[in-house]
Amino acid sequence: MNDKKNYGFTTTILHNDRRKGIEHGSLHKPVHTSVAFGYADARQLASVFQGKEPGFRYGRQGNPTVSALEDKINQMEQGVGTLCFATGMGAIGAVFQALLRAGDHVVSSSFLFGNTNSLWQTTMAQGVGVSFVDATSVEAVAAAINDNTRLVFVETIANPRTQIADLARIGELCRARGILYVVDNTMTTPYLFRPKDVGAGLVVNALTKSIGGHGIALGGSLTDTGAYDWTRFPNIYENYKKAAARQWGLAQIRAKGLRDFGASLAPEAAHHIAVGAETLALRMERTCANALALARLLEADQRVAAVYYPGLASHPQHALAGELFRSYGSLLSFELKDGIDCFDFLNRLQLAIPASNLGDTRTLIIPVAHTIFYEMGAERRATMGIAESLIRVSVGIEDTDDLLADFASALNAS
Ligand SMILES: *Cc1c(COP(=O)(O)O)cnc(C)c1O
């Protein structure tokens, strides 16, 4: 293939393996299951270990199949480098573990994926200060920053209440203060939004969700966008300052986060995710259209008390979402009117499946306070704007009419 660089999103992903050359003319990067990689010349083994030439050493630090996926995610996010992990939490945990030290301070959105919130609690117990702020307001973020603030962490569209962080202004603030800006792009995916465009230095993607898309493999990734100047980051060890400064961050995360903690992505999972990623754009078009149609149906129904979806004009950040994102996402949440039992309602649905996970091809639905946000307790739920009756829907690719009919008949019987 020629080296034309400006292919569209899907074309780039579909042809990426082949452009790098694959044995036998294979169109997919094979699943390389070998844990070790042998070298005919022992000196070459040593020089790979010392980072003097490229190559694989041991499966925990890197694998050719995983590396082919890393390259695709990197293309999607237009980064300078990407690392994959066994799960999205593995990726987030690696950031905290590799980059933060006791005495450091972090500003985090308070509208967070539940397990990220739980991980911050652990980090706090280990001596890192965390200020939780309303990230829809750049002023709140600015007010929480102090001299020890090492990073600001936000999600694009918060799960499950769909608040949208003031992404661009927080990016400007971080740039001015020399603070690392970490954006969890899981809910938008690089198809709807590239955090690099608002100055994010590191981008998290839970590959388990829409990128893999079929709910058959766990995975996570971290992309360094090149936007952050690592010479301003005080926690980089001398060992990882050998290459150009733009590689310092990932070098340290690869060693301290991936190699030492070992949440490495398995090659079989990388293959599943890579196949799923080929249709990310097509699936997102369909799930976003379905989500908007469903949000409108719910909002118009008198048995529904509230609907949270960025595509509705009633959403507080509707205009912002329109400016930032290609579309409004596949996730919505809603509350039924008092007196309607949410479990009975869920049990009346024939297509939407009561299950955790999101970004699946199938529509999944879950009562939030009773499940994924149960452990944190009512008080913290209230500060996150999560009503006890909140229901989250991850909208799939079902035929729109079938999906709408399923919800309409469950509501009609309420
Ligand atoms: C699911 C999710 C994660 C964690 O991903 P896993 O692969 O389940 O570990 C992180 N952030 C967000 C926003 C998520 O939805």
Side-chain angles (χ1 to χ4, degrees), residues 39-50:
Y39 292 87
D41 175 356
R43 285 194 185 80
Q44 196 187 356
L45 174 69
S47 100
V48 167
F49 258 81
Q50 292 166 20

Side-chain angles (χ1 to χ4, degrees), residues 313-379:
S314 57
H315 190 284
Q317 292 98 33
H318 175 62
L320 181 66
E323 284 163 31
L324 291 170
F325 309 143
R326 193 195 291 255
S327 183
Y328 299 103
S330 336
L331 188 116
L332 62 89
S333 56
F334 67 100
E335 295 158 24
L336 291 166
K337 288 239 167 93
D338 287 349
I340 304 177
D341 186 283
C342 79
F343 290 98
D344 289 342
F345 174 79
L346 295 187
N347 289 341
R348 280 194 288 275
L349 291 162
Q350 300 296 306
L351 290 176
I353 306 162
S356 173
N357 195 20
L358 50 90
D360 199 308
T361 45
R362 296 154 189 81
T363 297
L364 307 179
I365 188 161
I366 194 158
V368 175
H370 309 275
T371 56
I372 46 177
F373 282 65
Y374 179 72
E375 185 183 296
M376 67 177 55
E379 204 177 309

Side-chain angles (χ1 to χ4, degrees), residues 381-392:
R381 280 197 294 272
T383 67
M384 297 173 91
I386 293 167
E388 297 303 292
S389 64
L390 190 72
I391 293 174
R392 182 187 81 183

Side-chain angles (χ1 to χ4, degrees), residues 86-92 112-113 115-116 153 155 157-159 184-187 204-209 217-220 357-358 392:
T87 63
M89 286 316 299
I92 296 171
L112 279 182
F113 179 64
N115 301 154
T116 306
F153 186 96
E155 295 177 5
I157 303 179
N159 157 18
D184 184 335
N185 197 27
T186 301
M187 300 305 299
V204 175
N205 278 290
L207 307 176
T208 314
K209 311 292 173 55
L218 292 154
N357 195 20
L358 50 90
R392 182 187 81 183

